[in-house]
Amino acid sequence: MPIPEDVTGDEIDKDVRQELQSLPKTLAEDVAKNLVMVARLIDEDPEGAYGYSRVALRLASRVAAVREAAGFAAYATQKYSEALAEFRAARRMTGNVDLWPVMADCERGLGRPERALAMAGEPEVQKLDKAGQVEMRLVAAGARRDMDQLDAAIVTLQSPELASSSVQPWTARLRYAYADALLAAGREDEAREWFAKAVEADKDGSTDASDRLAELDGVEFVDALTDEDDEDHDAAARDVDESDTPAKGDVEGDGEKA
């Protein structure tokens, strides 16, 4: 797949660059460039990112960072079985537990919420940092909802991190998930309160909490011009065109004057 000229491969994280040092220099550069493209495209063009991840995987399947990138690209395109296999491979290579929550979410994607819940209770969760533990809580709550256990999902999300007034990178998503679970359980007033709290924490617009809040408040967003306005606008434009066009007699009359 083509690599843009502005991509050098130097953009990758230093830890990944260090992993690639086990490869011949030219090969390492090619792999690095493909990994840069995965990172660049995964949000806006996941299918494109997936394509570059497959190239990197063919070139260096024994590099953990490559397996991890391939996993995230597959995950972004909802290829959950493939993603899970790649994450497991990366974990075997590194012994790192950071991928545990996303591995559990792959189980959800494969229709196995019970397995995701089982993973939420494994010792690996205790080895996660705070962000990872919050992510695991979100996955577990999602699994409860998959199983139509709404009250259990709500309880799962109730935690010191949810109650804290401190805003962390995960705060908006945690509050949003809690609000959404409350709404699904028919607790609309509480849901509104927590959607508002999610909006306060969502500085970069990572959720649609503001839209959900507006919806609960009965606010409707409409286009500046309705279909009727468009028709009126077109009719007015036709009237202007016709008034600006001289009649046939006028043209002939002007010719006579000339």
Side-chain angles (χ1 to χ4, degrees), residues 230-245:
D230 288 339
E231 292 175 1
D232 292 342
H233 180 271
D234 292 342
R238 286 194 297 272
D239 290 341
V240 170
D241 289 342
E242 291 172 0
S243 64
D244 287 347
T245 303

Side-chain angles (χ1 to χ4, degrees), residues 2 18 57 80 97 99 107 153 171 196 201 215 238 253:
Q18 187 172 357
L57 196 58
Y80 298 117
V97 299
L99 295 171
E107 295 286 2
T171 302
E215 184 180 332
R238 286 194 297 272

Side-chain angles (χ1 to χ4, degrees), residues 99-184:
L99 295 171
W100 197 252
V102 71
M103 290 169 63
D105 206 38
C106 286
E107 295 286 2
R108 285 186 60 211
L110 290 168
R112 301 193 292 246
E114 299 88 351
R115 177 56 188 152
L117 282 176
M119 291 179 69
E122 295 289 343
E124 283 82 356
V125 177
Q126 303 306 315
K127 301 176 184 178
L128 295 168
D129 60 14
K130 182 61 67 177
Q133 291 180 5
V134 170
E135 194 65 35
M136 192 70 241
R137 190 177 292 276
L138 288 167
V139 173
R144 291 290 186 188
R145 292 190 62 173
D146 293 342
M147 300 165 67
D148 294 324
Q149 299 175 1
L150 286 176
D151 290 340
I154 291 170
V155 172
T156 298
L157 292 168
Q158 292 171 344
S159 62
E161 293 81 17
L162 179 68
S164 175
S165 59
S166 173
V167 175
Q168 303 295 333
W170 62 77
T171 302
R173 292 178 59 239
L174 183 59
R175 292 177 179 178
Y176 182 95
Y178 189 59
D180 194 45
L182 288 168
L183 186 61

Side-chain angles (χ1 to χ4, degrees), residues 20 23 27 31 55-67 93:
L20 296 180
L23 303 174
L27 180 59
V31 174
V55 174
L57 196 58
R58 287 197 299 270
L59 295 174
S61 62
R62 295 186 180 184
V63 176
V66 171
R67 303 303 290 264
M93 292 176 179

